[in-house]
Amino acid sequence: MKTRSCLALCAVTLATPAFAQTTETRLSADVSSSLGYSNNPFATIGSDTGAGFVQVDIRPQLRILRERSALTVSADANVQQYFNRYNRSDNYSGGVDYNFVPAEYVRGHLNASVQSSLIGSTNDLANRFATVQQPGTVPSTDIGPAPVDPINMLPVNTGTDIGLFGLSARRRTINGGGDVSATLSARDVVTGSAFVINSKFSNSGSTGVIASALGDYTGYGGTVGYSRQITGYVQGGLQGSAAKYDYEMVGGDTTVYSVQATTTARINEYWTLNGALGVSFINREIGGSTAALSGSLAMCRRGIRVNYCINANRAVLPTGAIGTQVSTSVGGSYAYRITERSNINASADYSKNSTPSGVGGIVTPVALSNEYLRATIGYDRQLRQRLRLISSVNYRKIFGGSFIGGNVIGTSTRRPSDFGGLIGVAVRLGDIR
C-alpha cells in the first residue's frame, strides 16, 4: 500500500509541472456598434430599395494555448436593425478550432462550426462590410511557425449562392473537418484531409418562395496530397480529392473527383506564391458526366506596413438551387498601416457561377449563370487602448442570370446596385492580445 502511494505521488509530481508551465488561457470579446446605409441591402429588384440601419456585432473568443496545441472557441452575433422598409437581419456563427503537434514530424488540425445567415444580406458572413485587419500580422497557431505547404488542406465546400440573392432565404450550415500532414524526409511531405457539411434553407421573408423549393444537402469528402522540396524556395506536388453531395430533392446528387498539380514558391522575404491547376470530373444525377478546369492561385506580399494579395479560384461547388455549379472568382486585397494607430484596407473581387454543360430538366430554369462584383474600403483608428473607430464603404452589383422569387421565375431582371457604408466604434474586452 505504501509503495502504491509513493508511485502515485511521484506520477503526480512529474505530471503537474508539465501542465502548469505550458497552459495559457486568453478570453476576449470584440463589441462594435455602428450606423450605416445600404442602397440595396438584400439585392432585391425594385426602384426604391435603400435604407439606413444600426448594427451591433459581438465576437467572443476563448483560446487555450499549450506547448504543442492551441484550442480556439469563437462566436459571432451580428444584428442589423433597419430604420424603414425592412425587418431586422440577424446572422450568427460559432465554432471550435484545434491545432496540435502529436509528434515531431506530424501536425494536425480539427474544426467544427455552425452558421446561420440571410443569403445576400450585407451582414451575411460572405458579404459583410469590410473588417480591418492589422497589417503586418500573419495568422499563427501559437505552437510554432506553420510549414510552407502547397496543398489545400481543407477544400472549399461552399460558394456564393448568387442565384439565391433577394429571396430572403436563410441558410443554416453545420460543418466539420480535419487535416494532417506528415514530414517523411527533409524534402517530402504527405497530407490528408476530410470534411462533412450539412446545409438547410428556410424562409425569412415574404417573397413568395417556399423553403422546400431550395435544395437542402449533405456533403462529405477528402483530399490526399504529396509535395517535394525541389529547391530551397520551391515546392511541387500532386493532390487528389473526392466529394459527394446528397440532396434531399431529386435531381441534385453530385460526385466530384479532382486531380491537381500544386506548387509553392517563396520568391523573396516578402513575396510568396501558391498555386494549383488540374481538372474536375463531375457526375450528376441530372446532366450526366462532364469535366471542368479547376485550380487556384494566390500571390501575396507581406511587409511590415503593407500587405496585399492577388488570388483566383475555380472549383465545382454545391448550391441551394439543387446541384453543383462551376464557380470562378478573381480578386485582391490591400492593407496599409498609416500610423501605429490607424490602418486602411481595400478589397475587390469578381465571381461568376455557371451551370455546367449537360445539365437540363429542373435545373436549367434556375439560371445559375450570375456574375457578382463587390468592392470595399475600410479605415480604423485606435482612440484608446481598447477603443477603436471603425468605418467602411462598399459597392456590390449582380449581373445577368435570373431572379427566382415571387411570380418571377426564369425571367431576366435588373437589380439596383448596392452601395453604402458605416461608421462606428469597437471595444475590446478581456485579453487585448
Side-chain angles (χ1 to χ4, degrees):
M1 188 70 174
K2 185 176 180 180
T3 303
R4 291 182 181 179
S5 299
C6 290
L7 290 174
L9 180 61
C10 290
V12 172
T13 303
L14 292 173
T16 301
F19 281 95
Q21 67 183 2
T22 60
T23 301
E24 179 183 356
T25 301
R26 301 177 183 177
L27 179 61
S28 64
D30 290 309
V31 181
S32 66
S33 178
S34 53
L35 292 172
Y37 172 84
S38 177
N39 187 62
N40 193 1
F42 300 100
T44 58
I45 59 174
S47 57
D48 189 12
T49 57
F53 60 85
V54 59
Q55 174 175 280
V56 175
D57 190 76
I58 304 174
R59 301 183 186 186
Q61 182 183 86
L62 170 66
R63 305 200 69 193
I64 301 176
L65 308 176
R66 303 183 67 183
E67 185 179 357
R68 303 176 69 89
S69 66
L71 175 66
T72 303
V73 182
S74 58
D76 188 348
N78 186 284
V79 177
Q80 284 185 347
Q81 177 64 60
Y82 289 88
F83 299 132
N84 61 336
R85 202 169 278 116
Y86 302 105
N87 296 325
R88 192 180 70 192
S89 178
D90 302 341
N91 290 313
Y92 308 99
S93 68
V96 178
D97 192 272
Y98 181 58
N99 284 277
F100 58 99
V101 182
E104 183 179 359
Y105 300 107
V106 180
R107 300 177 69 93
H109 171 230
L110 298 171
N111 73 328
S113 64
V114 58
Q115 300 175 352
S116 176
S117 59
L118 199 60
I119 300 176
S121 62
T122 56
N123 65 333
D124 182 357
L125 298 175
N127 295 282
R128 187 172 300 175
F129 284 97
T131 300
V132 175
Q133 181 178 353
Q134 297 285 348
T137 60
V138 178
S140 171
T141 61
D142 290 297
I143 52 175
V148 177
D149 186 3
I151 306 299
N152 259 337
M153 299 300 293
L154 289 176
V156 177
N157 50 49
T158 60
T160 303
D161 253 326
I162 308 171
L164 304 184
F165 280 29
L167 303 187
S168 294
R170 178 169 291 275
R171 173 169 49 201
R172 189 273 296 146
T173 301
I174 299 176
N175 58 21
D179 58 76
V180 63
S181 64
T183 303
L184 303 181
S185 69
R187 289 177 172 267
D188 304 288
V189 178
V190 293
T191 58
S193 69
F195 77 90
V196 61
I197 181 171
N198 178 264
S199 183
K200 289 186 177 295
F201 299 86
S202 62
N203 288 349
S204 291
S206 55
T207 60
V209 177
I210 56 175
S212 59
L214 302 180
D216 298 344
Y217 64 86
T218 299
Y220 46 90
T223 300
V224 293
Y226 164 79
S227 66
R228 181 174 177 81
Q229 195 81 34
I230 301 172
T231 70
Y233 300 97
V234 179
Q235 290 183 1
L238 290 172
Q239 69 178 17
S241 63
K244 180 74 165 63
Y245 300 100
D246 295 326
Y247 282 79
E248 295 185 8
M249 294 185 66
V250 176
D253 290 0
T254 305
T255 303
V256 183
Y257 300 98
S258 299
V259 59
Q260 295 178 338
T262 64
T263 185
T264 291
R266 182 173 295 278
I267 302 171
N268 55 39
E269 62 178 318
Y270 299 109
W271 284 95
T272 59
L273 183 146
N274 232 292
L277 183 64
V279 62
S280 294
F281 302 94
I282 314 157
N283 185 17
R284 299 177 182 80
E285 184 177 356
I286 292 181
S289 299
T290 186
L293 185 71
S294 62
S296 61
L297 174 68
M299 188 165 60
C300 296
R301 184 190 188 280
R302 298 187 184 277
I304 298 176
R305 299 186 65 179
V306 180
N307 292 339
Y308 50 90
C309 290
I310 300 172
N311 53 72
N313 187 73
R314 180 177 171 88
V316 181
L317 301 175
T319 171
I322 307 175
T324 54
Q325 59 192 3
V326 177
S327 176
T328 304
S329 61
V330 293
S333 61
Y334 176 86
Y336 177 68
R337 174 175 290 161
I338 304 171
T339 68
E340 290 188 0
R341 291 178 171 268
S342 58
N343 309 281
I344 187 171
N345 77 347
S347 65
D349 60 80
Y350 164 84
S351 59
K352 180 177 182 179
N353 295 344
S354 58
T355 304
S357 60
V359 177
I362 62 173
V363 182
T364 299
V366 170
L368 301 179
S369 54
N370 286 283
E371 300 171 66
Y372 184 43
L373 173 68
R374 61 180 173 179
T376 62
I377 298 177
Y379 169 82
D380 79 319
R381 180 175 178 81
Q382 185 174 0
L383 304 177
R384 296 286 188 274
Q385 185 181 29
R386 296 178 177 273
L387 182 66
R388 302 187 73 85
L389 169 72
I390 57 173
S391 62
S392 64
V393 294
N394 83 324
Y395 175 83
R396 301 190 302 162
K397 178 66 176 178
I398 296 178
F399 306 89
S402 298
F403 178 77
I404 316 164
N407 297 319
V408 184
I409 300 180
T411 303
S412 180
T413 60
R414 290 187 177 183
R415 285 177 263 198
S417 300
D418 178 25
F419 54 84
L422 60 79
I423 185 169
V425 292
V427 179
R428 166 63 63 93
L429 305 176
D431 195 292
I432 62 175
R433 285 169 291 183

